[in-house]
């Protein structure tokens, strides 16, 4: 009896250790989506009245949780009944990541937008004739649609990481990534959108002591740095798209992966070289997908949609 209990505990510990390792690997592979998810969702809330920012983030958070409640079982069904589809889906997710990155870089050249989106949002807030309740609902729906795309990429990439593992491990890793990414992304988004308010609060601290002056200086720094933080997130997210998307493609295409392994040196230089190759492959893949999208749109006589933007 005791030996059976010890064996069960050992099995559980082994499973938990395996789940922890696979979750860490999956989290690294989904970093590109996470960076873009942070920047994009923080931008989605822009234009909402300050006292409504957190309720809007909460509403999108709940929508994101529902998205993953649909996507995780769907991924497990695919893994169980159509495992051959995991690699193609993972490659499609990687290619779409690369396309999003290229589309973001070329957006200003491919779209002739005559008005600034942020200015439109701020105007909507100032215009008393605008139904702010409906305005918020539209923004929430758009953010949840965008989240569904990004969440699908996260789940597909994670599924590729645990392909071939037993069902329990797949369920545990997919569920862990879904929970971590949802709470992590929207927790950070909530902090980011209120960062300028926190900075403003600090700038209004009274008193002439050294600590109070330091607080006001910190507040001014936060207010000045918040826009740069958003830009930095966007740049980092775009770069990660090429690294992660290109890495998925190079690892999924056997001959290409073996060729890269054969030419890169060992050690840190090899790691940097492999990342550079992944980025180049990602850019090339993104350009190819973008070319196909443009061709289809030209044939249909339409305009190119902004990938990942609602």
């Amino acid at each position: 009896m005791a030996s059976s209990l010890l064996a069960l505990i050992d099995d559980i510990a082994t499973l938990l250790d395996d789940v922890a390792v696979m979750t860490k690997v999956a989290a690294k592979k989904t970093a590109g989506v996470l960076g873009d998810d942070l920047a994009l969702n923080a931008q989605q809330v822009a234009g909402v009245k300050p006292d409504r920012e957190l309720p809007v983030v909460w509403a999108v958070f709940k929508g994101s949780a529902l998205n993953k409640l649909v996507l995780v079982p769907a991924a497990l069904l695919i893994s169980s009944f159509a495992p051959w589809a995991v690699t193609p889906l993972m490659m499609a997710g990687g290619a779409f990541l690369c396309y999003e990155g290229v589309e973001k870089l070329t957006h200003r050249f491919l779209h002739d937008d005559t008005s600034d989106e942020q200015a439109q949002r701020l105007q909507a807030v100032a215009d008393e004739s605008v139904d702010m309740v409906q305005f918020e609902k539209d923004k929430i729906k758009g953010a949840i649609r965008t989240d569904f795309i990004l969440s699908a990429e996260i789940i597909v990439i994670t599924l590729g990481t645990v392909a071939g593992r037993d069902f329990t491990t797949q369920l545990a890793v997919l569920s862990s990534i879904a929970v971590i990414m949802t709470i992590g992304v929207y927790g950070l988004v909530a902090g980011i959108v209120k960062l300028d308010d926190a900075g403003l609060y600090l700038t209004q601290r009274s008193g002439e002591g050294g600590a109070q002056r330091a607080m006001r200086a910190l507040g001014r720094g936060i207010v000045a740095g918040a826009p740069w933080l958003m830009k930095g997130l966007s740049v980092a997210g775009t770069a990660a798209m090429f690294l992660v998307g290109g890495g998925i493609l190079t690892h999924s295409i056997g001959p290409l992966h073996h060729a890269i392994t054969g030419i890169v040196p060992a050690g840190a230089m090899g790691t940097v070289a492999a990342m550079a190759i992944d980025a180049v492959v990602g850019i090339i893949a993104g350009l190819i997908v973008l070319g196909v999208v443009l061709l289809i749109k030209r044939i249909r006589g339409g305009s190119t949609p902004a990938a990942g933007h609602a």
Side-chain angles (χ1 to χ4, degrees):
M1 182 71 177
S3 60
S4 298
L5 179 60
L6 290 174
L8 176 61
I9 293 174
D10 183 63
D11 289 342
I12 293 174
T14 301
L15 174 62
L16 291 176
D17 183 61
D18 194 27
V19 168
V21 172
M22 297 306 298
T23 300
K24 183 178 179 180
V25 172
K28 287 182 178 180
K29 288 189 175 183
T30 55
V33 187
L34 177 63
D36 190 57
D37 210 351
L38 277 174
L40 193 55
N41 280 289
Q43 290 167 355
Q44 289 278 22
V45 183
V48 176
K49 290 183 178 180
D51 62 333
R52 295 295 304 161
E53 287 175 340
L54 291 182
V56 168
V57 172
W58 173 245
V60 179
F61 168 82
K62 291 188 290 185
S64 177
L66 289 174
N67 285 341
K68 292 179 178 67
L69 281 176
V70 173
L71 289 167
V72 169
L76 291 172
L77 286 173
I78 292 172
S79 180
S80 298
F81 297 102
W84 54 266
V86 173
T87 297
L89 283 173
M90 187 169 60
M91 292 180 66
F96 189 77
L97 265 180
C98 298
Y99 163 64
E100 281 189 310
V102 169
E103 204 281 335
K104 288 179 71 171
L105 291 178
T106 58
H107 181 80
R108 68 180 63 184
F109 304 107
L110 297 177
H111 302 271
D112 53 353
D113 298 331
T114 57
S115 58
D116 182 76
E117 183 180 1
Q118 186 174 3
Q120 287 181 334
R121 289 172 174 172
L122 294 175
Q123 182 180 2
V125 175
D127 189 350
E128 295 182 356
S129 65
V130 175
D131 183 352
M132 291 308 300
V133 174
Q134 187 59 44
F135 179 70
E136 281 188 12
K137 287 181 178 179
D138 291 342
K139 290 180 71 63
I140 291 169
K141 288 179 181 178
I144 292 174
R145 285 196 300 269
T146 300
D147 176 88
F148 187 87
I149 297 172
L150 296 171
S151 295
E153 290 177 306
I154 289 171
I155 296 302
V156 167
I157 293 170
T158 303
L159 182 61
T161 303
V162 296
R165 300 280 179 161
D166 59 273
F167 178 82
T168 303
T169 301
Q170 290 183 351
L171 174 61
V173 173
L174 284 168
S175 300
S176 298
I177 287 293
V179 172
I180 291 170
M181 289 298 180
T182 305
I183 295 176
V185 166
Y186 290 98
L188 288 171
V189 166
I192 291 170
V193 299
K194 302 306 291 184
L195 193 61
D196 53 350
D197 290 341
L200 182 61
Y201 170 77
L202 291 176
T203 62
Q204 296 172 344
R205 293 289 294 268
S206 60
E208 295 302 324
Q212 298 303 322
R213 287 197 297 270
M215 287 291 183
R216 288 194 292 271
L218 175 61
R220 289 192 294 271
I222 291 175
V223 171
W228 291 100
L229 174 62
M230 286 299 302
K231 291 180 181 179
L233 280 173
S234 182
V235 171
T238 301
M241 282 179 175
F242 295 125
L243 290 171
V244 175
I248 290 171
L249 294 174
T250 57
H251 283 79
S252 299
I253 302 173
L256 180 59
H257 177 61
H258 292 310
I260 293 173
T261 304
I263 62 175
V264 297
M269 290 299 296
T271 301
V272 173
M275 290 176 63
I277 293 173
D278 288 345
V280 171
V281 170
I283 293 171
I284 293 172
L287 288 171
I288 291 173
V289 176
L290 180 61
V292 173
V293 171
L294 287 174
L295 179 61
I296 293 173
K297 287 297 175 181
R298 178 164 295 186
I299 292 174
R300 292 181 177 179
S303 58
T304 306
H309 297 266

